[in-house]
Amino acid sequence: MNKIQELPWDNPRFRTWIAVARAEKAIVRALSKALEPLGLKIAQLDMLMNLYRHPGQSQHDLARRLLVGRSNITMLLPQLETQGLVRRESDANDRRILRLYLTQDGEERLMEALAVYTRLIDRVMAQSTPEQCEAMGEQMRRISEALAED
Amino acid sequence: MNKIQELPWDNPRFRTWIAVARAEKAIVRALSKALEPLGLKIAQLDMLMNLYRHPGQSQHDLARRLLVGRSNITMLLPQLETQGLVRRESDANDRRILRLYLTQDGEERLMEALAVYTRLIDRVMAQSTPEQCEAMGEQMRRISEALAED
DNA sequence: TGTATTTTGTTCATGATTGAACTAACTTTG
DNA sequence: CAAAGTTAGTTCAATCATGAACAAAATACA
């Protein structure tokens, strides 16, 4: 069996990726905990944020923007609906489409959650200077673009 | 309702976090696909890698290193065992402990997978200069440390 | 018009992961 | 030594995301 020339643990690029994956996981954990008192999960907050920015979008659009399956939206929406945070309205012109809107309560809960969210991210990103942080964001966006070519 | 002063979408630090989360997700997707021909999932590869570096560790230690629950290890291990990639041996001195070892096949599969893995990560990280990449890794490690204080 | 294709949302079976409860084995301590 | 506490691994129920199969509705096109 041919051994690999350089084991990944000694590869700086690989070590960076490991660090990225670990940090992302840590942030997700911390965010989950921070949102718990608000009765929101990350997936739900993502939806609320998207609906705030793009009111009236269809479930299909929302799924595409969140990079999740359409069925996922179908499963998650009732949770927000029964909490009274989101409203679904049939489109008049295309009866297949359900248009999604935040309710007043939904918008208020979103604002509370965003305060928690930004506080956490500010704290996390305070580990870097604004310039470093900006550079990191730029690199990450390039990575996403590079991988999007499929 | 008090509006939030600055909406997160205009916050550079927040935008960086979104970019990180997106890129991480994209890389995980790409890696999943790349490993498919080898019959390995990411979680399984993580285990093989850890067992290569730390042969003979217990399931408890492995779970701790991978930052997953112990039950997860219990569920995943049989998949690798039936493929003949991993061997479990009872510890002679402490009969609660099962010590884990890669088999010859396991090591060979790991090397194949690592070749695929490093090729992908090299491609991904080639979006940055080595210096940028190194800086990013350093920032990510600081973030993990900052959040570890719980 | 009428048939074929596409699109939207839902349902369902599947797989991953988690945490709590449990058993067996070891350790501490009185 | 015996009781209490701790640790390793397993089991199980619950949560969550996914993709395939499907129904209803809209669109294309012949």
Side-chain angles (χ1 to χ4, degrees):
Chain A
M1 184 57 204
N2 43 3
K3 276 264 176 174
I4 217 168
Q5 312 78 349
E6 180 196 29
L7 284 171
W9 297 275
D10 306 321
N11 180 332
R13 288 190 280 246
F14 195 86
R15 289 164 53 84
T16 292
W17 155 243
I18 298 296
V20 170
R22 272 198 185 355
E24 195 269 350
K25 191 164 185 173
I27 294 173
V28 165
R29 278 184 102 85
L31 180 57
S32 275
K33 282 227 188 305
L35 289 176
E36 212 166 309
L38 290 172
L40 283 179
K41 291 160 197 170
I42 294 180
Q44 298 175 331
L45 177 54
D46 282 343
M47 293 179 57
L48 295 184
M49 287 174 67
N50 246 280
L51 292 183
Y52 180 80
R53 294 197 74 182
H54 308 282
Q57 67 183 316
S58 67
Q59 297 189 191
H60 181 264
D61 289 341
L62 182 56
R64 201 172 34 71
R65 286 216 177 80
L66 293 178
L67 307 173
V68 301
R70 281 157 293 159
S71 55
N72 198 1
I73 303 292
T74 302
M75 306 289 273
L76 265 339
L77 262 181
Q79 304 174 357
L80 293 175
E81 243 181 335
T82 56
Q83 284 191 74
L85 306 179
V86 165
R87 208 175 61 238
R88 281 203 272 194
E89 282 181 19
S90 285
D91 185 289
N93 295 81
D94 187 337
R95 281 177 300 172
R96 292 170 303 179
I97 293 177
L98 293 174
R99 304 212 162 272
L100 307 174
Y101 302 91
L102 290 187
T103 63
Q104 187 60 36
D105 279 4
E107 196 162 319
E108 288 173 12
R109 278 279 269 293
L110 172 60
M111 291 305 151
E112 297 174 46
L114 286 183
V116 171
Y117 200 173
T118 47
R119 200 176 314 132
L120 173 66
I121 296 302
D122 275 349
R123 185 160 71 84
V124 161
M125 290 298 169
Q127 302 301 317
S128 312
T129 68
E131 294 76 25
Q132 287 176 324
C133 184
E134 197 53 51
M136 193 158 63
E138 200 43 56
Q139 292 172 72
M140 288 298 175
R141 281 183 282 271
R142 276 203 299 274
I143 288 173
S144 291
E145 283 170 24
L147 287 176
E149 298 150 4
D150 282 344
Chain B
M1 183 55 203
N2 43 4
K3 276 262 176 179
I4 215 168
Q5 313 78 353
E6 180 195 29
L7 283 170
W9 298 274
D10 306 321
N11 180 333
R13 288 189 280 246
F14 195 86
R15 290 165 51 83
T16 292
W17 156 243
I18 299 297
V20 170
R22 273 206 193 344
E24 194 268 352
K25 192 165 184 173
I27 294 174
V28 165
R29 277 185 102 85
L31 181 56
S32 275
K33 282 227 187 308
L35 289 176
E36 211 166 310
L38 290 172
L40 283 179
K41 291 159 197 171
I42 294 180
Q44 298 175 332
L45 177 54
D46 281 344
M47 292 180 58
L48 294 183
M49 288 174 68
N50 246 280
L51 292 183
Y52 180 81
R53 294 196 75 184
H54 305 283
Q57 69 184 312
S58 68
Q59 297 187 190
H60 182 264
D61 288 341
L62 181 57
R64 200 173 34 74
R65 285 216 177 81
L66 293 178
L67 307 173
V68 299
R70 283 156 291 158
S71 55
N72 198 0
I73 304 291
T74 301
M75 307 290 273
L76 266 328
L77 263 179
Q79 304 174 357
L80 294 175
E81 243 181 335
T82 57
Q83 285 190 75
L85 306 179
V86 165
R87 208 174 62 239
R88 279 204 271 194
E89 283 182 17
S90 284
D91 184 290
N93 295 81
D94 188 337
R95 280 176 302 171
R96 291 170 305 178
I97 294 177
L98 293 174
R99 305 212 161 272
L100 307 173
Y101 300 92
L102 289 187
T103 62
Q104 187 60 35
D105 278 3
E107 197 162 318
E108 288 173 11
R109 278 277 269 293
L110 172 60
M111 291 305 149
E112 295 174 46
L114 285 183
V116 171
Y117 199 173
T118 48
R119 202 176 314 133
L120 173 66
I121 296 303
D122 276 349
R123 184 159 72 84
V124 161
M125 290 298 168
Q127 303 300 318
S128 313
T129 68
E131 294 75 24
Q132 287 175 324
C133 184
E134 197 54 49
M136 192 159 64
E138 198 45 54
Q139 291 171 75
M140 289 297 176
R141 280 184 281 272
R142 275 202 301 274
I143 289 172
S144 292
E145 283 170 25
L147 287 176
E149 298 151 3
D150 284 345

